[in-house]
Amino acid sequence: EPKLLAVLRVSLPMKSAMAALSENMQHHLFRFFLMTLVLGFALWLVVWALIQRPVHQLVAAMERVGEGDLRAVMPAHGTREWKIVSEHFNRMVGELSRGKDTIERLHQEQLTHADRLASLGELSAGLAHEIKNPLASIKGAVQVMRDDLKSAAHRETLGRIDGELTRMTKTI
């Protein structure tokens, strides 16, 4: 059976114990606040480096493409996902550039073709004018000769000539 050998009585004033407790609590709160601040800043850096910066780069590249600069590229760095986004964006811009080049080439070909057709039209109009004038003169002379002739056979021949001249004039 245990025996009680001595009793120790400790007495501390409450004021000093509360002051020590309060000072200890203030130190812990300050350390907690400082650690929260440091961790928050570190988290912000990680978010900025992994998300915000690539998003800003993508938006800047998209704005350049929207303004017509099809040489804009998105650098392929960062996380695996951002590399995939960069590759797809760059491939899309490349396709747009090739499509634009094709459209410009086809447009130039159409302009050249239209210019050739316009020149051909001008030539045709000039040629038709140069042919119609002599035909009209010949037609007039044939009609005068037909009216003056007494021979029915000759008038019939000149009538056929007049008909062919009319057909040629309508064709031109």
Side-chain angles (χ1 to χ4, degrees):
E1 171 170 326
K3 292 184 185 176
L4 182 61
L5 295 174
V7 175
L8 177 65
R9 187 170 182 194
V10 177
S11 131
L12 290 172
M14 279 307 261
K15 269 188 175 180
S16 63
M18 287 304 279
L21 184 60
S22 174
E23 185 179 322
N24 194 13
M25 190 86 141
Q26 284 177 355
H27 285 311
H28 284 301
L29 280 174
F30 178 74
R31 288 180 187 154
F32 175 76
F33 175 74
L34 189 61
M35 288 302 293
T36 303
L37 190 64
V38 168
L39 287 174
F41 182 71
L43 181 62
W44 177 82
L45 281 177
V46 168
V47 167
W48 181 82
L50 295 179
I51 298 172
Q52 249 184 325
R53 184 174 47 139
V55 167
H56 287 296
Q57 289 173 337
L58 179 62
V59 168
M62 290 170 67
E63 286 174 350
R64 286 179 54 201
V65 169
E67 293 168 357
D69 181 7
L70 296 180
R71 294 168 304 176
V73 292
M74 170 90 179
H77 59 74
T79 64
R80 183 178 148 269
E81 290 80 10
W82 278 114
K83 288 179 183 176
I84 292 170
V85 168
S86 298
E87 289 170 6
H88 285 281
F89 176 81
N90 294 337
R91 191 175 317 130
M92 176 189 68
V93 171
E95 290 294 322
L96 285 173
S97 180
R98 284 186 289 283
K100 180 183 175 199
D101 291 344
T102 301
I103 288 170
E104 287 174 351
R105 181 182 49 79
L106 291 174
H107 180 67
Q108 187 60 43
E109 288 175 7
Q110 286 179 335
L111 287 175
T112 303
H113 185 70
D115 189 44
R116 287 181 185 160
L117 286 177
S119 296
L120 185 61
E122 288 176 16
L123 179 66
S124 298
L127 187 61
H129 178 73
E130 292 300 320
I131 292 173
K132 270 189 167 186
N133 283 347
L135 284 178
S137 297
I138 294 170
K139 183 172 173 55
V142 166
Q143 288 172 349
V144 168
M145 286 172 47
R146 190 178 72 192
D147 292 342
D148 288 347
L149 285 176
K150 304 280 186 238
S151 165
H154 288 113
R155 274 198 308 241
E156 184 182 326
T157 301
L158 288 175
R160 282 196 305 264
I161 292 172
D162 186 39
E164 290 301 317
L165 288 169
T166 301
R167 187 180 64 80
M168 287 175 66
T169 303
K170 286 181 181 177
T171 301
I172 295 174

